[in-house]
Every structure is written in C-alpha cells, then in structure tokens.
C-alpha cells in the first residue's frame, strides 16, 4: 500500500517493457542501442531540419521517365518564349512590330510549316468554322514563329482579291467574316516581318505578280460595278477596303527601314529580294504604276463621293448615304485613305526611278494632275443634270479631298500634297489642310 514517486521516463519505459513481454516472440521489437535520445529511452524525433538534410544528401529527384513514342511520330523541342518580341515599344527586346524608321534590327529565321499542314489549315479556313483554322495559324505564327509557304501565301492573296470559293469551284462569293479573319492573319504576318525573315532572305508575304497589285488597286471599282446600295455594296466595299489596306501595308512594311524623305538612293538586288511589292513596281515601271494608282483612286473617289464626303452632294442619289448604312460609309472612307497612301508610296518609287530630287518636284505633280484631271472630267461628263456652277463646286471639292488625303499619308508626302495643290489651283486654300 505504499506509494512512491518515479520519473515519467522510467514509468513509460517499464510500461513498454511490460507490453513487449506479453507479446509473442515473433512480434517483439527492441529499439536499437543508438535509438535513445538524451537517455529517455524514446525513439529519436525526426525534425524538418533533418528531413531537409536527408533530401540534400540524396541529391535532386530523378526526372520522370518519358512515355514511349509511337512509331512514325517525331517530337521536336519547342523554344520557351515570354512573348517579349511580340510587344512593340519595349525598351529591352526592340524587335516588336513597331520599329523606328531607318533603323534595321537583327531578325530571326522563320520556321516553315510541315508539308501536310498548309492544305489542312486552308481546308479549315474555307470550312464552316473558319475561326478554327485562323486560330491555329495565329498560334503557329505568334508562338512557334512558323509562317506559311509561298503556295499558301498565294491562296491567301487570292482569297483577299476575289473572296472565298464556292465549294472549291471557280465561283467566288463575298463573306465578310471569313475575309476579315484572313485579313487579320495576313496583316499579322506583315507585322511579324520586323522580327522574322525566311531562310532564303525573301519576305514573309507579298504579291507574286503584277496582276496581284493591279487587282488590289481596281477592287474598289471592279467589285462595285452596277451595285448602287444595300448589303451587296457594303460587302463589296469591305473586300475592297481590306485589299487596299493590304497593299498599303505591304509598301509600309517593305519600306519601313528606308528614309522616305531622301530620293537619291538605289535598291540593290539583295534588298529587292525582300521587297516583292517594290520590285514589281520598279520592274513594271513606276510611271505606269503611278498612273494606274492615281486613276483608280480618283475613280473610286468619284464613284463613292456620296459616301466619302461628310455632307453635301456627291455623284449618285442624295439618299444613298442613309440607305447604305454606316458600314458602307466607313469602308469607303478607309479604302480611299489607303489608296491615297499607295499613291504616295508609288510616287516615292517614281522619284527614285526617275532620279528626281524630292517629292516636291513639279514633274511628279504634273503627272499626277494629268491623270487626276482626266478621270474627273471623264466621270463628270455623265452628269448632264448637274449645273455648271454645281459642277465647278463639286470638282473643287474633289480636288480638296484628294490633296488633303495625300497630306495625311505621312510626313514624307506633305511636300507632294503642297506642290500638287499649287498646280491644280488650290494654293493658299485653308480647306486643303483638312478633310
């Protein structure tokens, strides 16, 4: 009946010994000699610090075993990209779509599509869900630096010139949604030209023949022939607007590193190899190309003047602006601006080929005025109902709008617009500085 006090450690040890003694011999377990910590008889405490030391002693974990490949499949490594080169205006990187004019940067070599992929993606683009095909194309361009081959580029150019084909037949139709998706992707290729180049040094995208340039210039009148108003006119102007925008951006992309204010320069063969649009213009003859560009731009302005002018009378029904809707009005204005931009770029090439001192040379302005005035006269001859005073006022407004659009094309084209305004009799007119 006597009670005495024993330490807790001794009591726990005796309890463990009593329990172990009652177990069969096969189930008994004794702690190793080094197990007691500080003489307590308890197993050592494994701390987080000891776990960390054990992991460091074992070294890094082995990599997971790659799954077995299927026969016939080839695994290619994909470079890690943080998309820094796709963002313009970055101080570090400097290879975004927006580059300072006159500054050339080092460009990477673009990757080509696999052999069977272009046909598959073109089928997806012409299928019932074109956004799926365009999504794959944009992903290949932005992430993998992969661009379509020249055959696929010709098909994309044909789609932007004439529209999609009807079930693969030689019957074209206008689909604003499909054309818009294709135009966005092609303009993305042109934007990527500031950071990518093909292995052979050629441009990522461009016209393959003079017929491509000619068709893009004539879209605004050829596609709207015998179309007065309604949805058909809006669809035709949408296609023409995307074609004019493409042509203007091809010039802008190819001449992005050229000082446009200096016409005393020449393009060597290596430079022209990466400038398909410029090469075709110079080989065809910059004079003939400039005449065609001015003629088509003036014809477009005369035919769709009721849409382009912000108010007042133009050629056609005065109610056409309201009937055609905002889409036709917007597309007509954008198409005319891009055509004027093309005129300014071709004028620059004309000065180089003709060895003119600058864009302010009078011979350039006289050539433009000759084609412009001839087309205005040809278009107004079919308006017998317009009085002489109204016709004079209308022609003056056409001249003001044309010169103002040329002036807004860029800093390099302002001397041309100023000289042209002087030749056609608009010198000192304040309206020439605004649209």
């Amino acid at each position: 009946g006597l009670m005495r006090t024993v330490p807790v450690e001794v009591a726990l040890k005796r309890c463990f010994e009593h329990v172990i003694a009652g177990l069969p011999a096969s189930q008994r377990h004794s702690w190793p000699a080094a197990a007691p910590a500080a003489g307590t008889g308890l197993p050592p405490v494994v701390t987080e610090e000891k776990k960390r030391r054990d992991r460091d002693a074992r070294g890094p974990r082995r990599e997971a075993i790659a799954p077995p490949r299927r026969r016939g499949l080839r695994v290619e490594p994909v470079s890690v990209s943080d998309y820094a080169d796709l963002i313009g205006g970055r101080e570090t990187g400097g290879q975004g779509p927006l580059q300072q004019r006159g500054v050339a940067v080092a460009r990477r070599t673009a990757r080509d599509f696999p052999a069977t992929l272009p046909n598959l993606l073109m089928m997806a683009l012409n299928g019932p869900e074109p956004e799926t095909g365009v999504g794959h194309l944009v992903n290949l361009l932005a992430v993998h630096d992969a661009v379509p081959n020249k055959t696929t580029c010709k098909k994309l150019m044909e789609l932007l010139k004439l529209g999609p084909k009807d079930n693969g037949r030689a019957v074209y139709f206008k689909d604003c949604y499909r054309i818009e998706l294709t135009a966005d992707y092609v303009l993305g290729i042109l934007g990527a030209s500031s950071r990518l180049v093909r292995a052979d040094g050629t441009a990522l995208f461009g016209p393959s023949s003079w017929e491509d340039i000619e068709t893009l210039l004539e879209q605004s009148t050829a596609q709207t022939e015998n179309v007065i108003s309604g949805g058909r006119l809006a669809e035709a102007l949408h296609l023409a607007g995307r074609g004019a925008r493409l042509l203007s951006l091809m010039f802008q992309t190819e001449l992005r590193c050229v000082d446009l204010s200096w016409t005393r320069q020449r393009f060597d063969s290596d430079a022209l190899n990466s400038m398909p649009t410029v090469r075709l213009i110079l080989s065809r003859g910059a004079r003939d190309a400039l005449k065609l560009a001015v003629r088509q731009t003036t014809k477009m302005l005369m035919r769709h003047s009721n849409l382009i002018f912000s108010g007042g009378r133009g050629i056609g029904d005065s109610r056409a602006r309201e009937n055609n809707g905002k889409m036709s009005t917007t597309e007509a204005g954008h198409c005319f601006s891009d055509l004027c931009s093309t005129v300014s770029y071709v004028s620059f090439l004309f000065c180089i080929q003709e060895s003119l001192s600058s864009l302010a040379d009078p011979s350039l302005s006289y050539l433009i005025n000759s084609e412009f005035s001839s087309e205005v006269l040809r278009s107004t001859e079919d308006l017998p109902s317009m009085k002489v005073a109204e016709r004079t006022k209308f022609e003056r407004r056409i001249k003001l709008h044309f010169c103002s659009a040329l002036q807004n094309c860029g800093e390099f084209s302002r001397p041309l617009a100023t000289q042209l305004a002087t030749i056609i009799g608009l010198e000192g007119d304040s309206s020439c500085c605004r649209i």
Side-chain angles (χ1 to χ4, degrees):
L2 298 177
M3 297 180 62
R4 62 188 179 91
T5 304
V6 295
V8 178
E9 295 83 356
V10 177
L12 289 175
K13 181 179 179 181
R14 290 179 180 177
C15 289
F16 277 113
E17 292 176 351
H18 178 72
V19 172
I20 293 174
L23 293 176
S26 60
Q27 298 182 7
R28 295 180 184 180
H29 176 74
S30 59
W31 302 106
T40 61
L42 297 177
V45 179
V46 181
T47 61
E48 293 295 331
E49 181 66 21
K50 186 176 185 305
K51 293 180 180 179
R52 185 186 62 79
R53 289 197 302 267
D54 293 342
R55 286 195 301 265
D56 295 342
R58 288 193 302 264
R61 181 176 298 178
R62 296 179 61 185
E63 297 293 336
I65 300 176
R69 302 184 201 169
R70 293 183 181 179
R71 181 174 298 178
L73 293 180
R74 182 179 60 183
V75 180
E76 296 182 358
V78 179
S79 60
V80 179
S81 174
D82 61 350
Y83 304 97
D85 54 349
L86 302 182
I87 304 175
R90 290 281 295 269
E91 295 181 0
T92 59
Q95 296 183 8
L98 301 179
Q99 297 292 336
Q100 184 180 2
R101 184 175 297 278
V103 178
V105 297
R107 294 183 291 174
R108 299 194 300 272
T109 301
R111 302 173 62 187
D112 295 330
F113 284 178
T116 59
L117 191 58
N119 292 334
L120 180 63
L121 293 177
M122 286 303 300
M123 290 176 60
L125 185 60
N126 288 321
E129 296 181 357
E131 65 276 2
T132 304
V134 172
H136 287 298
L137 290 171
V138 172
N139 179 71
L140 289 170
L141 174 64
V143 180
H144 304 286
D145 290 342
V147 295
N149 54 27
K150 295 182 180 180
T151 302
T152 306
C153 289
K154 291 181 180 180
K155 294 180 180 179
L156 294 172
M157 176 68 77
E158 183 181 5
L159 194 150
L160 291 177
K161 290 191 306 179
L162 305 173
K165 282 187 178 182
D166 185 12
N167 294 327
R169 298 177 297 176
V171 178
Y172 298 92
F173 64 97
K174 298 176 179 63
D175 185 346
C176 295
Y177 181 59
R178 202 181 308 270
I179 293 172
E180 187 73 20
L181 290 174
T182 306
D184 289 343
Y185 172 65
V186 172
L187 297 185
I189 296 178
L190 293 176
S193 299
S194 60
R195 60 186 180 88
L196 298 175
V197 66
R198 293 187 185 272
D200 56 357
T202 57
L204 300 182
F205 188 89
S208 57
S209 63
W210 167 254
E211 189 267 339
D212 291 342
I213 299 177
E214 189 176 18
T215 302
L216 294 176
L217 285 172
E218 296 175 349
Q219 273 182 322
S220 59
T221 55
Q223 296 290 338
T224 58
E225 194 73 30
N226 300 324
V227 180
I228 300 177
S229 61
R232 292 181 58 192
L233 178 61
E235 292 175 349
L237 287 175
H238 177 268
L239 177 61
R242 296 304 171 271
R245 181 63 175 165
L246 172 62
L247 184 58
S248 175
L249 281 182
M250 286 191 298
F251 278 112
Q252 180 180 344
T253 302
E254 296 175 14
L255 298 174
R256 67 186 181 279
C257 296
V258 178
D259 186 5
L260 300 179
S261 62
W262 183 47
T263 59
R264 299 288 190 178
Q265 53 185 313
R266 291 291 181 268
F267 299 109
D268 55 18
S269 57
D270 294 335
L272 289 177
N273 190 38
S274 61
M275 299 178 178
T277 313
V278 174
R279 184 180 69 252
L280 289 172
I281 292 293
L282 295 179
S283 61
R284 178 75 179 189
R287 178 180 293 271
D288 294 338
L290 181 58
K291 289 182 179 180
L292 176 63
V294 174
R295 187 164 57 250
Q296 292 299 325
T297 303
T298 308
K299 186 182 296 185
M300 189 272 173
L301 176 60
M302 297 294 293
R303 177 175 296 184
H304 304 293
S305 57
N306 58 327
L307 298 173
I308 297 174
F309 289 167
S310 57
R313 183 177 181 180
I315 295 180
D317 189 0
S318 59
R319 297 171 297 178
R321 181 181 175 88
E322 290 76 11
N323 295 336
N324 292 335
K326 295 182 179 180
M327 180 177 177
S328 298
T329 303
T330 303
E331 296 297 343
H334 291 168
C335 182
F336 175 70
S337 298
D338 290 327
L339 287 177
C340 287
S341 177
T342 299
V343 170
S344 63
Y345 285 118
V346 178
S347 299
F348 169 75
L349 298 178
F350 173 79
C351 292
I352 291 181
Q353 196 169 53
E354 299 290 333
S355 300
L356 302 183
S357 58
S358 66
L359 288 171
D361 195 290
S363 59
L364 172 61
S365 298
Y366 280 118
L367 176 62
I368 295 177
N369 179 52
S370 175
E371 295 296 324
F372 174 78
S373 301
S374 300
E375 189 59 41
V376 170
L377 180 61
R378 188 182 304 110
S379 300
T380 54
E381 285 179 351
D382 300 331
L383 300 175
S385 60
M386 185 177 289
K387 298 180 181 179
V388 177
E390 293 180 348
R391 181 176 303 186
T392 302
K393 184 178 180 181
F394 174 71
E395 291 178 356
R396 182 174 181 82
R397 189 172 187 184
I398 289 289
K399 296 176 181 178
L400 285 171
H401 208 84
F402 184 72
C403 291
S404 298
L406 285 179
Q407 190 175 25
N408 294 333
C409 291
E411 187 70 27
F412 76 98
S413 64
R414 291 184 180 178
L416 170 61
T418 303
Q419 183 66 28
L420 181 61
T422 302
I423 291 177
I424 63 180
L426 299 176
E427 184 180 9
D429 197 322
S430 60
S431 300
C432 189
C433 298
R434 67 176 185 273
I435 295 181

